[in-house]
Amino acid sequence: MASYPIYQFYSELQSYTPAIWRRFQVPGNITMAQLGYIVMTLYEMRANHLFCLTVPIQDNFATFQKAQEDCAAILTLSDHVWRFAVEDPSSPLSSEGEIKQFDAASQKMKAVLYGQPGERLYLEYDYGDGWEVQLTLEAVTIDKTLPGRMLPRVLEGAGYGILEDCGGPGGLTQIADAFRTKKGPAYQDYCDWLGLDELDLAAFDLEDMNFRLKKIPRIYRGLYEYGYELTRRSEALLEREYLDD
């Protein structure tokens, strides 16, 4: 049973309209890297690129302090942003030295967040295309009646997610427009590139996504943390070949 805290988040893909969003729950004992794999699964990111999670720790600390009844003054932290990555965390710091870097695979999520509703963090994926998902903590609860195997789970959502190597939110918007009109050279080019002539970026299958959440994050952990090669079975899961049975 889920006797440990359950963290519930609202997440939304940034810089894209209409909103692509998810409301989901995760166990509090996961690492920051595992949180990343879960969010990547939720937004159809295929683990083809580097990713990181950034936490505006000073803003979150202020959110936590404001909720305390005995808070007389808002203190400040020396660090403004914490960055969690699986790759070598050696990217340049800001000129003010405001970014502190950590290994995402060794840091527990519950040790990073204060557990205060309203805290935020961001998943950045494929730094070239510039995908970003904002996560907002909604609640931290304990439900001893919920089987632990049910987590992580998505409660609701809207929109399909991203398309790999399409040029980021701007490229996704162009693809959505092309498939909406279903005519012109751009539409034909995208059909050829994607290998299909129908694409519904508004689609979201709650049951299928919960099925994938129990399997895909483990595949991503093997790829990023242990350097495993993608197996044929894993590739079939990613490509949803099970829907053809």
Side-chain angles (χ1 to χ4, degrees):
M1 299 300 176
S3 58
Y4 39 76
I6 298 170
Y7 285 63
Q8 179 170 308
F9 293 94
Y10 172 82
S11 64
E12 186 171 317
L13 185 68
Q14 301 295 281
S15 305
Y16 183 80
T17 303
I20 298 177
W21 61 273
R22 313 282 189 254
R23 176 167 283 110
F24 66 99
Q25 295 176 332
V26 299
N29 61 348
I30 62 173
T31 66
M32 292 295 285
Q34 288 172 305
L35 177 61
Y37 309 144
I38 289 166
V39 176
M40 289 164 61
T41 301
L42 287 170
Y43 287 88
E44 304 295 338
M45 299 168 181
R46 298 301 178 89
N48 293 333
H49 302 278
L50 297 176
F51 77 95
C52 72
L53 286 151
T54 57
V55 181
I57 192 65
Q58 181 167 275
D59 291 345
N60 284 350
F61 184 55
T63 297
F64 168 73
Q65 282 191 299
K66 288 176 183 178
Q68 307 309 301
E69 294 181 358
D70 58 350
C71 180
I74 300 297
L75 303 177
T76 59
L77 300 178
S78 58
D79 300 322
H80 289 207
V81 176
W82 287 358
R83 179 182 184 272
F84 298 82
V86 176
E87 83 272 14
D88 179 19
S90 58
S91 62
L93 300 178
S94 65
S95 58
E96 296 83 9
E98 296 177 341
I99 299 176
K100 190 171 184 179
Q101 310 209 43
F102 300 88
D103 174 18
S106 64
Q107 300 293 321
K108 293 287 189 178
M109 180 190 69
K110 64 183 180 182
V112 174
L113 299 177
Y114 296 98
Q116 180 61 46
E119 289 185 75
R120 292 184 176 181
L121 60 158
Y122 301 84
L123 174 87
E124 299 174 27
Y125 174 77
D126 185 355
Y127 307 145
D129 274 7
W131 298 108
E132 182 177 84
V133 177
Q134 177 179 285
L135 288 75
T136 303
L137 182 64
E138 292 189 319
V140 180
T141 60
I142 292 180
D143 184 353
K144 293 185 178 180
T145 66
L146 180 70
R149 58 182 171 77
M150 296 295 293
L151 297 174
R153 65 176 180 175
V154 58
L155 305 176
E156 55 183 338
Y160 174 75
I162 78 161
L163 295 174
E164 290 279 355
D165 304 316
C166 74
L172 190 64
T173 298
Q174 293 175 0
I175 292 172
D177 291 343
F179 276 90
R180 192 177 298 113
T181 60
K182 294 186 178 181
K183 60 182 180 180
Y187 169 67
Q188 189 57 56
D189 287 344
Y190 288 132
C191 286
D192 295 341
W193 178 53
L194 295 169
L196 45 80
D197 54 14
E198 293 286 343
L199 178 65
D200 184 6
L201 288 174
F204 176 71
D205 188 324
L206 182 65
E207 181 178 357
D208 180 59
M209 185 55 70
N210 273 309
F211 169 77
R212 295 174 72 79
L213 277 177
K214 307 305 184 292
K215 299 180 179 295
I216 305 301
R218 287 180 290 181
I219 296 173
Y220 290 175
R221 187 179 188 184
L223 293 173
Y224 282 101
E225 296 182 33
Y226 305 112
Y228 294 162
E229 295 291 333
L230 191 64
T231 66
R232 179 66 190 92
R233 182 179 180 182
S234 296
E235 184 178 354
L237 276 170
L238 289 174
E239 297 300 327
R240 288 184 168 86
E241 292 183 14
Y242 52 84
L243 295 179
D244 298 331
D245 295 340

